[in-house]
């Protein structure tokens, strides 16, 4: 790249643009990769970047790319140490729990990595009725879940927006025993501003949409048919969602589809774009890796990333966007989850079924409607038990959005690290609800100890006293206390 071209390229990159090819600018990504490779193990530069990162206010995509490229062992351990400290400071010990709920696997798109693609005749197509949704929600409530991520294929005839809206209302309306779903996050296809407004009006939590890959050419090849083929429409979806008033959006890529450097930088640029243009960065970043599934051979995807690289990417997302929740799913094994929890992940799913209707009734092999294979097959209680033993506080908290702490209000608290002051008591109180209503005996014993000691760790005396009082009131059957 010569200097004149370089200037041309820089003109095209515009973090605040409305146009996908300008805020996820291909030349800027390629130039960033070249810059990072040129500075591979440039210890002086890396030292400066890490000093800046120590402020826990994030670093730029260029700076993250330099760290991603580095393979110096000492630097790597500094990266992991810093990511761990950021996690502790901003998120404390809490790990937020959620479960996916698949409504329908009808889909008109042709995504080559997903078994729901419309040409796959091996899987059974299913769409839940409102009665079936109620039964799924009861099964999820009986496990202890309070927070769901709604999933549905794209099909305007089978799964129109009215169906999604009705389903969300049904989910919120179910109250079985002491159960309730208090936050429904929604992962549906890119849509119009008008439809995003409708989603906001029914009270969704986060709108989640994975980019899959930021590379336009690869994106078009991976999505050969259907509305999802349109790269710009998909990439600009979060801008439309935010324009419609949805404050909390969740981004992500499916690592393994394309070259990891490119997608990591694209992901960071997308976060910078939202932060710069709307004053609110992404609420969450999901980091899934490609998994085997019906009709999908993972070996066909030569960009698959190994565990070490996966861990490094998680740590760098934590350092680059300290205020953003990081989500991993049950695609990851227990071992892999344990590693990344230490260095950045703040939300995990538990007891997940990735098939349509899988909570109420286990599917037979012939019936297979799952989107991908789950590696971590443990029950929610087993996961809660495991997290407690690792020293974490599993949290079923959904307080922020219900208290109006969304968008920039949330970000202000997150960026200054003050969010921990509400996360901590809320995690203890929601864990206590879980303990009373759902935990198995062994989990109950450990949770009780953790709750008692964590209560004493609440720094503000007044908050500590209120939290204790709320916990006492739970013995009388009261629920849903929050800060
Ligand atoms: Fe449909 Fe989504 Fe699967 Fe693509 S990834 S085939 S859009 S369900
Ligand atoms: Fe999440 Fe807010 Fe609850 Fe903290 S207080 S766990 S940020 S909902």
């Amino acid at each position: 790249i010569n200097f004149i071209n370089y200037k041309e390229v820089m003109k095209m990159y515009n973090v605040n643009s409305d146009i996908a090819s300008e805020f996820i600018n291909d030349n800027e990504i390629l130039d960033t990769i070249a810059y990072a490779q040129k500075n591979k193990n440039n210890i002086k530069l890396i030292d400066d970047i890490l000093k800046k990162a120590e402020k826990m206010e994030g670093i730029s995509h260029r700076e993250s790319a330099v760290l991603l490229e580095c393979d110096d062992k000492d630097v790597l351990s500094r990266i992991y140490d810093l990511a761990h400290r950021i996690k502790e400071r901003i998120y404390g010990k809490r790990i937020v729990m959620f479960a996916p709920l698949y409504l329908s696997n009808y889909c008109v798109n042709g995504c080559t990595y997903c078994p729901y693609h419309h040409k796959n005749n091996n899987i059974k197509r299913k769409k839940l009725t409102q009665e079936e949704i109620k039964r799924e929600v009861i099964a999820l409530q009986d496990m202890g879940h309070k927070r769901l991520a709604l999933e549905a294929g794209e099909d305007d005839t089978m799964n129109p927006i009215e169906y999604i809206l009705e389903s969300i209302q049904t989910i919120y309306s179910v109250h079985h025993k002491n159960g309730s779903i208090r936050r429904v996050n929604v992962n549906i296809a890119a849509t119009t501003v008008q439809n995003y407004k409708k989603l906001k009006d029914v009270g969704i939590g986060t709108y989640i949409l994975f980019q899959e890959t930021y590379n336009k050419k690869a994106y078009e090849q991976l999505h050969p048919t259907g509305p999802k083929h349109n790269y710009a429409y998909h990439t600009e979806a979060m801008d439309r969602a935010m324009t419609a008033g949805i404050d909390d959006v969740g981004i992500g890529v499916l690592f393994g589809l394309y070259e990891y450097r490119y997608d990591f930088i694209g992901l960071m640029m997308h976060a910078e774009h939202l932060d710069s243009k709307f004053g609110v960065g992404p609420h969450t970043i999901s980091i899934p890796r490609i998994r085997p599934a019906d009709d999908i051979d993972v070996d066909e995807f030569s960009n698959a990333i190994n565990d070490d690289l996966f861990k490094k990417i998680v740590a760098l997302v934590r350092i680059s966007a300290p205020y953003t929740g990081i989500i991993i799913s049950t695609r990851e094994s227990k071992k892999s989850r344990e590693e990344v929890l230490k260095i950045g992940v703040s939300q995990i799913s538990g007891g997940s079924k990735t098939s349509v209707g899988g909570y109420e009734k286990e599917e037979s092999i012939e019936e297979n409607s799952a989107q991908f294979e789950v590696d971590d097959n443990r029950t929610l209680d087993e996961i809660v038990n495991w997290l407690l033993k690792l020293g974490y506080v599993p949290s079923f908290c959904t307080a922020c959005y219900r208290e109006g702490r969304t968008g920039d209000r949330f970000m202000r608290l997150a960026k200054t690290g003050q969010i921990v002051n509400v996360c901590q008591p809320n995690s203890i109180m929601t864990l206590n609800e879980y303990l009373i209503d759902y935990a198995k005996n062994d989990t109950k014993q450990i949770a009780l100890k953790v709750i008692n000691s964590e209560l004493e760790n609440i720094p503000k005396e007044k908050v500590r006293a209120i939290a204790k009082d709320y916990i006492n009131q739970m013995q009388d059957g009261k629920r849903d206390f929050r800060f």
Side-chain angles (χ1 to χ4, degrees):
I1 218 160
N2 66 36
F3 185 66
I4 296 164
N5 277 345
Y6 181 80
K7 284 189 86 170
E8 274 307 307
V9 162
M10 293 315 286
K11 244 201 265 174
M12 284 168 60
Y13 170 50
N14 177 0
V15 69
N16 290 320
S17 174
D18 297 332
I19 300 165
S21 58
E22 290 182 359
F23 64 81
I24 304 291
N25 180 247
D26 178 56
N27 286 314
E28 171 61 16
I29 298 182
L30 294 177
D31 201 43
T32 301
I33 294 173
Y35 170 77
Q37 288 179 335
K38 199 175 98 203
N39 285 295
K40 185 179 174 105
N41 298 340
N42 175 343
I43 299 299
K44 164 83 182 65
L45 177 65
I46 289 168
D47 215 44
D48 289 346
I49 295 172
L50 284 171
K51 273 189 197 129
K52 179 177 170 191
E54 281 286 342
K55 292 185 188 147
M56 303 191 184
E57 290 167 1
I59 54 176
S60 72
H61 64 272
R62 285 212 165 212
E63 292 162 336
S64 318
V66 172
L67 298 183
L68 181 65
E69 203 55 41
C70 177
D71 59 9
D72 180 280
K73 282 212 169 71
D74 290 342
V75 173
L76 268 181
S77 59
R78 282 172 71 189
I79 288 172
Y80 292 134
D81 174 63
L82 175 58
H84 174 70
R85 283 185 285 117
I86 293 175
K87 164 97 196 284
E88 291 263 294
R89 166 146 177 255
I90 299 184
Y91 299 85
K93 292 182 186 166
R94 59 102 176 155
I95 304 290
V96 170
M97 308 301 305
F98 77 98
L101 173 59
Y102 284 76
L103 292 183
S104 164
N105 61 3
Y106 284 92
C107 190
V108 297
N109 287 311
C111 315
T112 58
Y113 50 85
C114 173
Y116 292 176
H117 70 80
H118 71 116
K119 282 195 188 139
N120 185 4
N121 295 322
N122 300 338
I123 58 160
K124 194 171 169 198
R125 300 287 166 173
K126 287 189 195 169
K127 172 188 167 181
L128 298 180
T129 63
Q130 298 306 311
E131 275 312 307
E132 285 167 334
I133 291 172
K134 279 186 194 160
R135 294 204 291 271
E136 286 287 279
V137 171
I138 288 173
L140 283 155
Q141 289 182 2
D142 280 346
M143 290 160 75
H145 278 295
K146 302 281 187 270
R147 175 188 288 246
L148 299 184
L150 214 62
E151 315 271 345
E154 178 167 17
D155 187 328
D156 268 352
T157 313
M158 292 305 290
N159 323 322
I161 190 73
E162 291 72 25
Y163 168 70
I164 305 289
L165 300 171
E166 189 186 358
S167 304
I168 295 168
Q169 283 163 331
T170 300
I171 294 167
Y172 280 133
S173 75
V174 177
H175 300 283
H176 179 65
K177 298 183 182 164
N178 282 331
S180 57
I181 297 301
R182 299 170 181 162
R183 179 174 178 124
V184 180
N185 298 331
V186 175
N187 182 356
I188 59 161
T191 185
T192 58
V193 172
Q194 203 185 13
N195 284 346
Y196 286 128
K197 279 190 181 143
K198 291 180 186 166
L199 287 169
K200 183 179 164 60
D201 289 345
V202 290
I204 67 161
T206 311
Y207 172 65
I208 301 164
L209 183 69
F210 296 166
Q211 179 63 30
E212 321 295 9
T213 174
Y214 284 95
N215 182 276
K216 185 166 184 275
K217 197 162 159 229
Y219 179 94
E220 287 168 352
Q221 282 165 356
L222 289 158
H223 307 97
T225 54
K228 194 168 170 180
H229 180 72
N230 187 335
Y231 175 87
Y233 189 73
H234 189 85
T235 311
E236 292 157 10
M238 292 313 187
D239 295 53
R240 292 194 298 281
M242 288 188 129
T243 304
I246 295 179
D247 285 332
D248 295 344
V249 299
I251 60 174
V253 286
L254 183 49
F255 278 100
L257 291 182
Y258 190 65
E259 207 273 328
Y260 71 90
R261 292 178 184 86
Y262 195 102
D263 277 332
F264 173 78
I265 296 165
L267 189 63
M268 293 299 101
M269 284 167 70
H270 201 175
E272 284 169 8
H273 163 68
L274 296 173
D275 198 8
S276 175
K277 186 171 167 192
F278 297 97
V280 185
H283 192 71
T284 53
I285 295 181
S286 299
I287 313 185
R289 276 192 284 184
I290 193 122
R291 289 279 301 154
D294 180 85
D295 202 33
I296 306 299
D297 180 0
V298 84
D299 294 332
E300 278 175 33
F301 296 92
S302 56
N303 290 304
I305 56 169
N306 65 27
D307 288 355
D308 288 345
L309 192 49
F310 181 67
K311 185 176 164 190
K312 192 173 175 188
I313 288 172
V314 172
L316 290 176
V317 171
R318 178 45 62 243
I319 289 173
S320 309
Y323 52 86
T324 300
I326 300 181
I327 303 179
I328 53 157
S329 73
T330 45
R331 284 174 200 245
E332 292 302 325
S333 67
K334 176 183 171 195
K335 184 170 165 278
S336 160
R337 291 177 130 199
E338 195 165 324
E339 281 294 305
V340 292
L341 279 168
K342 286 184 218 151
I343 46 137
V345 168
S346 56
Q347 257 191 60
I348 64 171
S349 47
S352 303
K353 301 284 179 214
T354 61
S355 51
V356 182
Y359 291 107
E360 193 212 353
K361 195 166 136 284
E362 196 79 41
E363 279 191 329
S364 65
I365 292 172
E366 298 76 48
E367 259 183 321
N368 181 22
S369 71
Q371 194 188 26
F372 57 85
E373 283 179 22
V374 166
D375 198 307
D376 190 344
N377 280 303
R378 290 171 296 166
T379 63
L380 179 62
D381 194 74
E382 285 166 342
I383 289 186
V384 168
N385 188 301
W386 164 74
L387 286 171
L388 287 164
K389 285 179 181 159
L390 289 175
Y392 297 109
V393 182
S395 172
F396 294 87
C397 176
T398 54
C400 279
Y401 120 94
R402 296 163 75 228
E403 289 292 316
R405 285 193 298 264
T406 59
D408 53 358
R409 237 192 105 193
F410 171 83
M411 280 300 162
R412 255 198 321 276
L413 292 171
K415 284 183 178 173
T416 53
Q418 290 175 57
I419 196 75
V420 78
N421 298 328
V422 282
C423 291
Q424 189 192 22
N426 284 339
S427 64
I428 301 169
M429 292 190 305
T430 54
L431 178 61
N432 196 61
E433 283 189 345
Y434 178 82
L435 176 158
I436 299 174
D437 291 335
Y438 308 104
K440 296 238 163 79
N441 255 340
D442 181 46
T443 309
K444 219 174 242 182
Q445 302 308 323
I446 314 169
L448 201 59
K449 274 194 205 140
V450 169
I451 288 168
N452 286 334
S453 73
E454 284 301 309
L455 271 173
E456 297 310 323
N457 287 339
I458 295 177
K460 287 188 184 154
E461 202 184 322
K462 196 170 158 207
V463 176
R464 201 184 321 132
I466 297 172
K468 282 183 180 173
D469 176 50
Y470 285 165
I471 281 183
N472 283 334
Q473 290 188 51
M474 284 182 204
Q475 299 303 335
D476 307 327
K478 300 219 175 86
R479 296 289 180 273
D480 201 12
F481 294 103
R482 57 182 181 264
F483 285 93

